[in-house]
Structure formats: C-alpha cells, structure tokens
C-alpha cells in the first residue's frame, strides 16, 4: 500500500491541463509525488546484494519485497513512516543532465537540513 499526493507547484499552474490530459512525464514539469511505501528494497544498476542483511525467507516472513530497477546506484530501502518525494521533471526542457540535477537536489537537501540544525554533507 502507498499513500500518494500529487502536488503541481503553483508556478506551473499553466501546465495543469497538460498534466491532467497527457500521461507522458515529459510534459509534467513542476510535479512532485509524495509516497509512503510498504516495506521494499529496490536494487539499482550496481547493487551490492550483501547490503540486504536478511535472506529471502526472512524478507518474505517480514512482508518485505525486493525489486530490481533500472535506476542507478545500489540498494535502497523504503518503508512505513518514511516519506519519499519524487520530483517529475523534464530535464531536456531544462537543458540539464541527470547528474547535475541530482547534485543540485543533494545541495538543496544539505541546505534544508542545516535550517533545522542538522549537520549534513554531500559529495
């Protein structure tokens, strides 16, 4: 079970008709999806399977699913109580590569953590 809230950014209100009528994510600039997942591990393109510390039988017993994905990276866990924000952006439209975008998100998260008194660091 997932809890999802789609929230187009107000500055992109002019795109609302596109967002409702077009299922192509290339038109969904300015949209974010907030989700809370059932227990799941996702494995990216370069997974280190020993990072999942339980065997398949134990994961099944706990109700935890494991999914292989096409995203980059290693193993990631998502579960109840952890909210995940998925920005949906047309990087081509922004003339930005994935790496620059992800590094920008990282910089923002480090800055936000700092406003709450949490020391964080990126790359």
């Amino acid at each position: 079970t997932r809890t999802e809230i789609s929230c187009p950014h107000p500055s992109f209100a002019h795109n609302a008709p596109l967002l409702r009528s077009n299922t192509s994510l290339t038109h969904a600039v300015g949209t974010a999806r907030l989700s809370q997942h059932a227990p799941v591990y996702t494995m990216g393109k370069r997974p280190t399977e020993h990072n999942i510390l339980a065997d398949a039988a134990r994961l099944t017993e706990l109700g935890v699913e494991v999914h292989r994905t096409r995203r980059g990276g290693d193993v990631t866990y998502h579960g109840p109580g952890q909210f995940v924000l998925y920005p949906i952006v047309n990087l081509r439209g922004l003339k930005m590569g994935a790496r620059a975008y992800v590094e920008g998100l990282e910089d923002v998260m480090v800055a936000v953590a700092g406003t709450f008194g949490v020391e964080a660091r990126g790359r």
Side-chain angles (χ1 to χ4, degrees):
T1 307
R2 296 193 302 205
T3 302
E4 293 186 355
I5 303 167
S6 290
C7 46
H9 189 279
S11 65
F12 293 101
H14 63 278
N15 282 332
L18 279 175
L19 296 174
R20 284 192 295 273
S21 65
N22 193 327
T23 58
S24 171
L25 295 182
T26 60
H27 294 291
V29 174
T31 297
R33 173 163 276 166
L34 181 64
S35 296
Q36 181 178 204
H37 297 276
V40 62
Y41 283 100
T42 57
M43 300 174 67
K45 292 180 181 178
R46 294 177 297 284
T48 309
E49 294 188 27
H50 69 266
N51 284 337
I52 299 178
L53 303 178
D55 63 23
R58 180 68 175 142
L59 293 173
T60 299
E61 179 184 318
L62 294 169
V64 179
E65 296 182 9
V66 177
H67 295 279
R68 293 189 181 277
T69 67
R70 294 181 357 202
R71 67 162 171 76
D74 195 358
V75 176
T76 303
Y77 171 80
H78 297 298
Q82 178 194 43
F83 289 93
V84 182
L85 181 68
Y86 296 97
I88 302 170
V89 220
N90 179 343
L91 293 178
R92 285 189 188 109
L94 295 173
K95 295 182 172 51
M96 179 180 280
R99 183 180 189 126
Y101 181 73
V102 170
E103 288 176 351
L105 285 178
E106 181 181 45
D107 294 341
V108 167
M109 294 308 299
V110 167
V112 168
T115 66
F116 289 96
V118 175
E119 187 177 330
R121 62 183 170 82
R123 306 172 286 291

